């Protein structure tokens, strides 16, 4: 089966044109084997592009562990770019994802997607520096004066992800946010001038991957929403290890509407996988 590998700010995915419904998507071991970084293609997740009656296409997302996932923001941005490349949609598109319909605007190397409105009452403050909310996937947002290293992200992230506190949502993603701002080189990327030239910093432990990922779209969206509660800033750039992502929204009395997630997208390579070589049965 033909495939392409994309990454959105370092968050990488296997993309497959499955408009003929040929991929055995119930074979979680196969998905996990394809995503394996050493013996497979290597990715944080796998995405199928399928036809949909209400939209240009539907994206089905699977975590690196082979199990169906919830909304993946960077995956959705990569899916829109890939769908555009195979003629499934134009530069402006509507697509179906785990949490419903989304729109996307696609330009060379850059994709912006709409995210669901964020109910401000649904943001739970745990203490003065930690918050829990759902932006298509559940996220714990932790503000810290000093960004933790990779070992601490893995240890603390895994502990919180499996905490009994979040058992009802099948565990949570965990985001560590620096409370300071960090300049980034706007000239090095194609970003709209209206977005700020300063950024928060983020590191994310992602459930399903069970490790730190280089960026997380729903994670930066969650961080931006919490940052709004603390600063009333409605546009923010957030620097992940893999690149800078941008979130903007329209504040309303009870919610954040017109939520837009933007950032770079890149085709890494394309190829053909012999699926039988990855199947165990």
């Amino acid at each position: 089966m033909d495939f392409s590998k994309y990454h959105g700010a370092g968050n990488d995915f296997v993309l497959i044109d499955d408009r003929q419904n040929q991929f055995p998507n119930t074979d979680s071991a196969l998905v996990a084997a394809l995503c394996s970084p050493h013996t497979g293609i290597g990715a944080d997740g796998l995405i199928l592009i399928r036809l949909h009656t209400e939209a240009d296409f539907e994206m089905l997302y699977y975590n690196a562990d082979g199990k169906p996932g919830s909304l993946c923001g960077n995956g959705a941005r990569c899916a829109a770019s890939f769908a555009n490349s195979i003629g499934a949609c134009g530069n402006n598109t509507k697509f179906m994802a785990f949490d419903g319909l989304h729109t996307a605007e696609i330009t060379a190397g850059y994709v912006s997607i709409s995210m669901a409105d964020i109910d401000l009452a649904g943001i739970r403050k745990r203490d003065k520096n930690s918050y829990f909310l759902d932006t298509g996937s559940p996220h714990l947002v932790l503000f810290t004066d000093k960004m933790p290293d990779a070992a601490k992200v893995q240890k603390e992230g895994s502990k919180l992800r499996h905490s009994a506190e979040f058992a009802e949502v099948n565990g949570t993603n965990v985001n560590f946010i620096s409370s300071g701002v960090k300049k980034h080189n706007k000239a090095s990327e194609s970003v709209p001038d209206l977005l700020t030239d300063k950024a928060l910093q983020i590191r994310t432990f992602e459930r399903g991957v069970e490790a730190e990922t280089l960026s997380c779209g729903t994670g930066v969206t969650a961080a931006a929403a919490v940052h709004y509660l603390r600063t009333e800033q409605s546009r923010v750039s957030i620097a992940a290890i893999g690149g800078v992502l941008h979130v903007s929204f329209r504040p309303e009395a009870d919610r954040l509407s017109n939520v837009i997630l933007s950032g770079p997208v890149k085709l890494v390579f394309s190829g053909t996988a012999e699926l039988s070589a990855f199947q165990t049965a």
Side-chain angles (χ1 to χ4, degrees), residues 28-29 31-33 35 44-45 62-68 161 207-210:
S28 58
V31 174
C35 291
D44 293 327
Y62 300 85
N63 288 313
D65 62 5
K67 299 176 183 178
R161 178 262 191 267
R207 69 173 189 176
V209 181
E210 304 308 325

Side-chain angles (χ1 to χ4, degrees), residues 174-220:
V174 183
N175 305 273
F176 300 88
I177 311 295
S178 169
S179 58
V181 295
K182 178 183 178 182
K183 293 183 178 179
H184 66 273
N185 183 9
K186 183 183 288 188
S188 68
E189 58 177 334
S190 176
V191 299
D193 290 338
L194 62 91
L195 289 167
T196 176
D197 63 356
K198 294 183 178 180
L200 298 173
Q201 292 176 273
I202 187 171
R203 296 187 77 148
T204 298
F205 180 91
E206 198 164 333
R207 69 173 189 176
V209 181
E210 304 308 325
E212 182 178 14
T213 53
L214 297 186
S215 69
C216 176
T218 54
V220 301

Side-chain angles (χ1 to χ4, degrees), residues 81-200:
S81 183
F82 175 69
N84 179 258
S85 75
I86 61 175
C89 68
N91 292 334
N92 291 280
T93 183
K94 179 172 69 173
F95 64 94
M96 180 64 72
F98 172 84
D99 62 339
L101 288 170
H102 295 257
T103 59
E105 182 177 344
I106 305 156
T107 57
Y110 198 85
V111 177
S112 299
I113 63 168
S114 67
M115 303 287 282
D117 288 0
I118 299 171
D119 181 3
L120 294 176
I123 301 177
R124 177 165 64 88
K125 185 174 182 179
R126 297 170 73 243
D127 56 49
K128 67 177 183 178
N129 288 319
S130 68
Y131 303 76
F132 177 76
L133 68 159
D134 193 302
T135 53
S137 291
H139 282 276
L140 177 61
V141 177
L142 306 171
F143 282 84
T144 178
D145 291 333
K146 182 180 180 181
M147 187 61 68
D149 60 18
K152 185 171 182 180
V153 170
Q154 182 67 31
K155 180 180 179 180
E156 295 299 320
S158 180
K159 179 181 178 180
L160 289 164
R161 178 262 191 267
H162 292 286
S163 168
E165 179 182 356
F166 306 107
E168 289 187 4
V169 292
N170 195 30
T172 184
N173 300 282
V174 183
N175 305 273
F176 300 88
I177 311 295
S178 169
S179 58
V181 295
K182 178 183 178 182
K183 293 183 178 179
H184 66 273
N185 183 9
K186 183 183 288 188
S188 68
E189 58 177 334
S190 176
V191 299
D193 290 338
L194 62 91
L195 289 167
T196 176
D197 63 356
K198 294 183 178 180
L200 298 173

